[in-house]
C-alpha cells in the first residue's frame, strides 16, 4: 500500500494545543488522536520511501540541555522524514547559570523564526517557562523528573499494536526508580486517563510522595507488585539525579528489584516487558528477559518512537492535512 493513495482529507486539527508540554491535562480524545496518527506513521516508516512533505518549509530546532541518544535521534529522524529543516543544538549545562541561559538561548533562537522547538532540560518546569517566551510550538522532550510526553505516547502505541486493543482494564506495573523518572510520571497520567490499573513497584525510597493519591497502588516487593500484571515497565536507576544514596547497593537492588525470569513468574504468563532505555543490564533488568523476543517490547518502543514524534510534529506544525491517513 502506498501512503498517497487516499484522496479524502482528514480534519486538519489533530491536536488542539500549540505546545506538547506534558500528558497531564490532556483528554482521552487528545491522546487517542495522537495514537491513531502515530499508527499511520508506523506503517509509513516501513515503506522504502520514507520521505514526506508535511513539514516542508518548516524549521525544527532540537535544543538539548541534557545528553540524549535515542530521543534526539528519534526527533531528528522524525523531522527529516516529514521534510523539515532540522537543526540540533546540544548545550552543556555545567558552566552556565541555567535560568538565564535557557531564556537567553530561547530568545536568540526565537529571533530565527523556527516553527517548533524540541527541548530537553534537566530542570522540571523549564520547558513550560521556555514555551511562554517563544512564538513557535514547543515539544517537551523531557524536563527534569517532571514529564516526557512522547515517551508515554510511544509506550501506549507499542502496547496497543502488540495487543490489538486499547489500554482500558490492563494492569500495568511500573517498576524501579519512579521517584526520578519523568517517563513514569507521564505514563501514570496517560495510563490512568486511558483506564489502565496502575501499580508502582519499588523500594519506599524510590516511590515519590503522593503517588497513591494519583490512583496508583503501591508495592514494595516484586512478587506482589507483578502478580497478574499484563505490562511491566522497567525503569533505569537514575543515579545522576540522586542526591545521596537511595539503595543499599546495586547488587542488593538487583537481587530484590531486578527483573529476571524468576520474578517474572508472578506476572501474567503473557505479560509484556518494556523499558524506555538506556537499559542497565544486571541492575534493573536481566539480559535474558530484555532480549526475549516474545515478551520484550523494547525494540518496538524504539521503532514506534520515530512514528510518534512524526505524529506530534505533524499535529503541531504540519503544513497540510494527511489525505493518506484516512482508513489506514
Ligand atoms: C528516559 C529519559 O531520558 O527520561 N530515556 C529516554 O528518553 N529514552 C529514561 C532514562 O533516561 O532512564
Amino acid at each position: 500500500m502506498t501512503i498517497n493513495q487516499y484522496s479524502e482529507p482528514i480534519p486538519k486539527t489533530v491536536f488542539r494545543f500549540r505546545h506538547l508540554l506534558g500528558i497531564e491535562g490532556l483528554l482521552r480524545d487528545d491522546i487517542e488522536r495522537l495514537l491513531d496518527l502515530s499508527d499511520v506513521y508506523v506503517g509509513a516508516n516501513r515503506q522504502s520511501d520514507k520521505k514526506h512533505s508535511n513539514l516542508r518549509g518548516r524549521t525544527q530546532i532540537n535544543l538539548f540541555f541534557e545528553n540524549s541518544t535515542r530521543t534526539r535521534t528519534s526527533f531528528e529522524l522524525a523531522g527529516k522524514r516529514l521534510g523539515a529543516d532540522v537543526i540540533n543544538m546540544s548545550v552543556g549545562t555545567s558552566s552556565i547559570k541555567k535560568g538565564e541561559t535557557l531564556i537567553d538561548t530561547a530568545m536568540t533562537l526565537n529571533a530565527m523564526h523556527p516553527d517548533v522547538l524540541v527541548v530537553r532540560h534537566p530542570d522540571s518546569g523549564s520547558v513550560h517557562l521556555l514555551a511562554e517566551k517563544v512564538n513557535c510550538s514547543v515539544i517537551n522532550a523531557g524536563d527534569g523528573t517532571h514529564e516526557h510526553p512522547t515517551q508515554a505516547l510511544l509506550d501506549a502505541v507499542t502496547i496497543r499494536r502488540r495487543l490489538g486493543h486499547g489500554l482500558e482494564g490492563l494492569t500495568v506495573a511500573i517498576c524501579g526508580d519512579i521517584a526520578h523518572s519523568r517517563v513514569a510520571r507521564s505514563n501514570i497520567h496517560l495510563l490512568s486517563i486511558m483506564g489502565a490499573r496502575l501499580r508502582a513497584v519499588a523500594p519506599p525510597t524510590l516511590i515519590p510522595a503522593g503517588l497513591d493519591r494519583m490512583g496508583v497502588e503501591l508495592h514494595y516487593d516484586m512478587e506482589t507488585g507483578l502478580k497478574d500484571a499484563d505490562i511491566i515497565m522497567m525503569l533505569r536507576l537514575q543515579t545522576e539525579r540522586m542526591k545521596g544514596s537511595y539503595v543499599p547497593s546495586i547488587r542488593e537492588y538487583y537481587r530484590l528489584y531486578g527483573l529476571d525470569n524468576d520474578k517474572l513468574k508472578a506476572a501474567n504468563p503473557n505479560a509484556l516487558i518494556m523499558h524506555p532505555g538506556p537499559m542497565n543490564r544486571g541492575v534493573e533488568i536481566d539480559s535474558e528477559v530484555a532480549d526475549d523476543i516474545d515478551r520484550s517490547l523494547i525494540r518496538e518502543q524504539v521503532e514506534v518512537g520515530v512514528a510518534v514524534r512524526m505524529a506530534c510534529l505533524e499535529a503541531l506544525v504540519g503544513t497540510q492535512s494527511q489525505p493518506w491517513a484516512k482508513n489506514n
Side-chain angles (χ1 to χ4, degrees):
M1 186 195 67
T2 64
I3 59 162
N4 288 318
Q5 75 185 78
Y6 302 109
S7 52
E8 256 185 88
I10 61 162
K12 194 165 165 56
T13 318
V14 174
F15 197 60
R16 59 197 170 98
F17 301 103
R18 181 165 173 218
H19 307 297
L20 176 62
L21 301 176
I23 299 293
E24 189 177 11
L26 299 185
L27 300 176
R28 192 170 175 147
D29 191 46
D30 300 320
I31 294 169
E32 257 159 14
R33 281 158 174 259
L34 290 175
L35 302 186
D36 292 346
L37 185 56
S38 303
D39 260 332
V40 175
Y41 280 116
V42 175
N45 283 338
R46 289 178 182 172
Q47 309 288 320
S48 48
D49 182 1
K50 300 176 187 61
K51 192 88 172 176
H52 313 290
S53 55
N54 306 37
L55 256 70
R56 193 160 154 200
R58 303 297 201 231
T59 303
Q60 171 188 337
I61 302 182
N62 296 334
L63 181 59
F64 277 61
F65 291 87
E66 233 182 41
N67 288 337
S68 164
T69 314
R70 78 200 65 215
T71 305
R72 214 218 59 206
T73 313
S74 188
F75 270 111
E76 182 176 357
L77 210 49
K80 286 184 170 164
R81 286 187 179 167
L82 290 172
D85 292 317
V86 185
I87 311 291
N88 288 311
M89 285 193 60
S90 298
V91 194
T93 43
S94 55
S95 60
I96 54 174
K97 284 184 195 154
K98 287 180 201 162
E100 215 176 62
T101 303
L102 175 67
I103 299 308
D104 280 351
T105 311
M107 295 319 290
T108 306
L109 295 175
N110 193 48
M112 298 179 194
H113 299 291
D115 297 283
V116 57
L117 289 176
V118 178
V119 187
R120 171 170 283 197
H121 195 280
D123 295 339
S124 304
S126 55
V127 182
H128 281 72
L129 186 69
L130 185 144
E132 283 169 12
K133 307 278 177 197
V134 296
N135 304 112
C136 63
S137 290
V138 174
I139 298 181
N140 183 0
D143 63 322
T145 59
H146 177 230
E147 281 234 37
H148 189 355
T150 58
Q151 180 69 43
L153 291 166
L154 78 86
D155 289 344
V157 176
T158 308
I159 297 169
R160 273 197 349 176
R161 292 183 67 85
R162 174 63 75 103
L163 295 179
H165 58 74
L167 309 173
E168 183 118 34
L170 290 176
T171 299
V172 182
I174 304 180
C175 312
D177 187 359
I178 299 161
H180 299 97
S181 178
R182 52 199 175 202
V183 173
R185 212 166 305 272
S186 288
N187 259 312
I188 288 166
H189 287 300
L190 188 146
L191 291 162
S192 48
I193 294 166
M194 303 308 276
R197 279 193 293 266
L198 282 167
R199 292 188 192 154
V201 191
T205 47
L206 294 178
I207 294 190
L211 210 56
D212 47 343
R213 287 197 300 275
M214 292 173 78
V216 183
E217 242 180 61
L218 308 185
H219 291 268
Y220 303 122
D221 74 271
M222 291 288 268
E223 199 173 337
T224 61
L226 296 189
K227 193 170 179 323
D228 302 326
D230 302 303
I231 305 287
I232 305 171
M233 292 185 169
M234 298 307 299
L235 298 169
R236 184 174 63 89
L237 209 49
Q238 301 200 20
T239 44
E240 79 277 15
R241 294 191 204 285
M242 294 180 186
K243 295 186 180 77
S245 175
Y246 285 74
V247 293
S249 73
I250 297 296
R251 220 172 124 196
E252 189 70 358
Y253 182 79
Y254 180 64
R255 192 175 69 76
L256 295 172
Y257 294 97
L259 185 68
D260 56 15
N261 274 320
D262 200 39
K263 294 193 190 73
L264 207 46
K265 284 184 192 140
N268 173 336
N270 302 317
L272 298 167
I273 295 137
M274 306 180 79
H275 193 304
M279 265 187 289
N280 283 329
R281 292 167 186 266
V283 180
E284 71 268 357
I285 193 162
D286 181 55
S287 277
E288 226 184 313
V289 172
D291 302 331
D292 181 337
I293 50 166
D294 296 322
R295 311 189 70 173
S296 167
L297 294 178
I298 298 170
R299 275 193 225 154
E300 273 106 310
Q301 288 174 274
V302 179
E303 179 194 359
V304 166
V306 179
V308 165
R309 276 134 195 162
M310 289 170 84
C312 294
L313 288 166
E314 164 66 28
L316 291 179
V317 291
T319 55
Q320 51 184 257
S321 56
Q322 312 86 38
W324 40 270
K326 198 93 190 342
N327 304 331
N328 194 307

